Structures are given as C-alpha cells and as structure tokens.
Amino acid sequence: MADGVDTATETRLAQGRRAFEHRAWGDAHDALTAAAADAELDVEDLQRLGVAAHLSGHGDTATAALEQLHHALLEAGDVDGGARWAVRLAIILFQQGQPARGSGWLSRAQRILDELGEDVAAHGYLLVPVALQRLDGDHDPAAALEVFNDVARIAARFADPDLSVMGLLGRGQCLVAMGDVERGLPLLDEVMVTVTSSDVSPIMAGLAYCAVILACREVFDLRRAQEWTEVLSRWCDDQRDLRPYRGQCLVHRSEILQLHGEWSAAMAEVEHACDHLAADPGDPVMGMARYQQGELLRLRGEVERAEEAYREAGAWGHTTHPGLALLWLGAGRTGEAVAALRDAARRREGDRVRRARILGALVEALLAVD
C-alpha cells in the first residue's frame, strides 16, 4: 500500500483482509474494492482482491485486479510470480467462457518465460494446458500422463502446493482414462486429502474437488462420488457468497439423488443449479446442468422438454449423447439414434472410460433394431 493512506482506507483494508481470511468473499471484495478506489493496493492485497472477486462472482473486477497484479509482480522483478498469475488468470478466463482471452494470457506467460531463460515453477503451470489438451482434446491419456509427470517433478522441485495438486490430479485422471482405475483412483483420493489438509489456494481446491468427482462419476464409483460430493457441499457452504463451483456441486448432488431413485429431489437440485448458474452467463457448467436436466426429463417421459434441454447442453459445449440418442430411441427414431451413437463412439477412440458410456447405449440401440 502506498504511503500516506488515510484512516478510513486502512480500516477498509483491515476489513477486507479479515473477511478474506474468514472466506467471506463478498465482504472481502467490497472492502478491498473500496480501499482500491482511494489508494494503490500492494501485490498481496491485489491478489486478495482478485481471488475474492472471482470467488464472489465479480468477473470483471477479478480479471482487472489480477492483470494489475501480474504487471506489479513483473515491475518488482518477480517474473516467475508474474508468469504464474498469468496462467492462473488464463484458467479463470477459461472458467468464465472466454477461451480467446485465456489463450492470450497463456501466450503472454510463455513469452515472458522464454525471455527469462531460467528454470522456474511457472514452467510447470504452463505444462498443464498442454497436458489437458492431450487428455481431453486429443483423447491421448498416455501422452498426457507423461506431461503431468513432468508437472509433478517441477512441483516437487519448487515445493509449490497448487502445482503439486495439478500434477497429482492430472496423473490420476490420465490413469483412470487409460482404464487403470486401481492406480488412478487412489491418486484422486490423495488429491482430496491434500486440498483439505494443506496450503492449497481456494481456486485450486475448487477445481480439484470438481475434477475428482467427475472422474469418479465417469467410472461409476458411486461411493466415492457421493462421499466427495458431500465434502464439496460442506466446502461450498463454509464460504460466504461463493459463486464458482457451487453450481457444479448442485449438479453432482442431483446426479446422486437420481441414482438413488429420488427423481423429484434430483430435479429440484438441478433446477437450483440452473438458477445459480444463470447469474454467471459465461459459466460452461451450465451445459452439464442442462444435460442432467435432460436426463431426468427423459426418464420422466417428457420428450419435448428433454430434447430442448439436451440441445441447450450442446449449445453450451457439453456433449448431447448418449442421452439425446436414447431419447430418440425411446421415441422410435432408431436409425438416428444408432447413427449418432456410432459417430460418438468413433470420436471417443482412445478414451476407454468415456467411450464405455457410449458403447453401453449403442448396444441398447442395436438390440432395439435387432
């Protein structure tokens, strides 16, 4: 903080820091924003403001504060810190549904590190998007695993808690995607233990919770999915005004209720999720929520509403199959269902776990057409 700040600004700063420590993100955002209007924040308070703004749903304030933090770190000679926050800002922008801006910040981080020419922790952060592209974009978990192994080694070398979680999480996800569930799931359990018992940032913790639950759901490990969803629910409830992650938590709770046959309660949860996510227009989790809504409507026989929900999920970038194809199958549109599932299975070549869900539906469709 610059010299000469008045007492009122110091009071707002103290309030903001205290609220941040108590995970009252909305209060922290309000107090630190008010302080920033009267004086220049130092790097620690800029970080607090950026994180609190992101977690309380003030996306524009978050990106502005973190951009300012990035430049302040570079001006102070902390190139590693500036590059790390450039990557974290990119992750936040991707979460907000702004991939072009996110890619721009990744490129900026890469250029800065190329100019630095030193081995720093930020190199590990930059490897994470590369690994995720191989895992989710190329459906090549074996290649992604090699990169995540490098991430883990860099994290250990620099003792970086967030990067360590990223490496561990990625390795677990890759092993699960390769079908090696016996080795993959224990790593994901370790991720959850780490984020609940060590100095991991709240942004990284939220990402880890959601990613682990998704992996458990994909391999039909209901016990783990339910256990970690309950932990995620408590984690969300302990943080006042939390916006990210809560919507995905509600979707997972809906899925668990559906598996227990409590369809009405499941529908109430997913509708709550959609209402929550509607306040964040760019959040791609809305696609997951709409797909889950479509699944419940399909099971209840509401064909037109179900198809609309699946279409909306697709518009948000979420896959529409096998749910939409099974809806067509139930409506007698067997040819369309088989063709869609064959195409979906072909697209999932190399992704054994996610392909299994498609193949199960394809078998059902092929039996229906004899």
Side-chain angles (χ1 to χ4, degrees), residues 164-364:
S164 178
V165 167
M166 288 182 185
L168 193 61
L169 173 62
R171 289 163 61 205
Q173 289 175 308
C174 290
L175 289 169
V176 167
M178 292 165 64
D180 193 350
V181 176
E182 290 186 359
R183 284 202 300 157
L185 287 179
L187 289 181
L188 298 180
D189 288 341
E190 186 178 346
V191 168
M192 299 302 260
V193 171
T194 301
V195 299
T196 55
S197 62
S198 64
D199 188 23
V200 175
S201 71
I203 294 176
M204 187 64 244
L207 289 170
Y209 277 128
C210 294
V212 169
I213 294 167
L214 282 173
C216 294
R217 183 188 68 164
E218 287 173 355
V219 296
F220 307 100
D221 192 329
L222 175 58
R223 180 190 63 79
R224 273 189 171 89
Q226 181 166 344
E227 180 178 345
W228 292 127
T229 297
E230 290 171 357
V231 173
L232 174 59
S233 296
R234 292 195 296 272
W235 184 81
C236 289
D237 291 342
D238 286 343
Q239 301 176 74
R240 196 190 314 167
D241 303 318
L242 181 70
R243 294 298 309 175
Y245 317 118
R246 192 180 297 277
Q248 188 164 338
C249 178
L250 289 167
V251 175
H252 292 319
R253 283 164 57 172
S254 174
E255 292 168 342
I256 297 299
L257 288 166
Q258 176 190 335
L259 290 169
H260 284 293
E262 300 177 39
W263 291 359
S264 296
M267 182 62 80
E269 288 289 80
V270 78
E271 288 176 349
H272 185 190
C274 290
D275 290 342
H276 177 87
L277 292 163
D280 301 309
D283 194 334
V285 176
M286 180 65 88
M288 182 189 302
R290 290 301 187 193
Y291 184 88
Q292 171 62 6
Q293 190 177 43
E295 290 287 88
L296 291 164
L297 291 168
R298 175 173 65 84
L299 292 172
R300 286 167 34 164
E302 299 183 45
V303 177
E304 291 183 3
R305 289 186 62 202
E307 182 153 6
E308 181 183 357
Y310 287 130
R311 297 292 187 190
E312 289 185 18
W316 280 94
H318 195 279
T319 180
T320 57
H321 301 301
L324 181 57
L326 290 174
L327 181 72
W328 291 342
L329 186 65
R333 297 161 61 180
T334 54
E336 292 174 85
V338 170
L341 290 169
R342 284 190 188 280
D343 181 63
R346 179 184 57 79
R347 293 173 183 273
R348 289 296 182 185
E349 288 286 353
D351 190 341
R352 295 179 59 191
V353 172
R354 295 175 186 172
R355 194 165 184 259
R357 191 181 298 270
I358 299 294
L359 292 176
L362 179 56
V363 168
E364 184 177 343

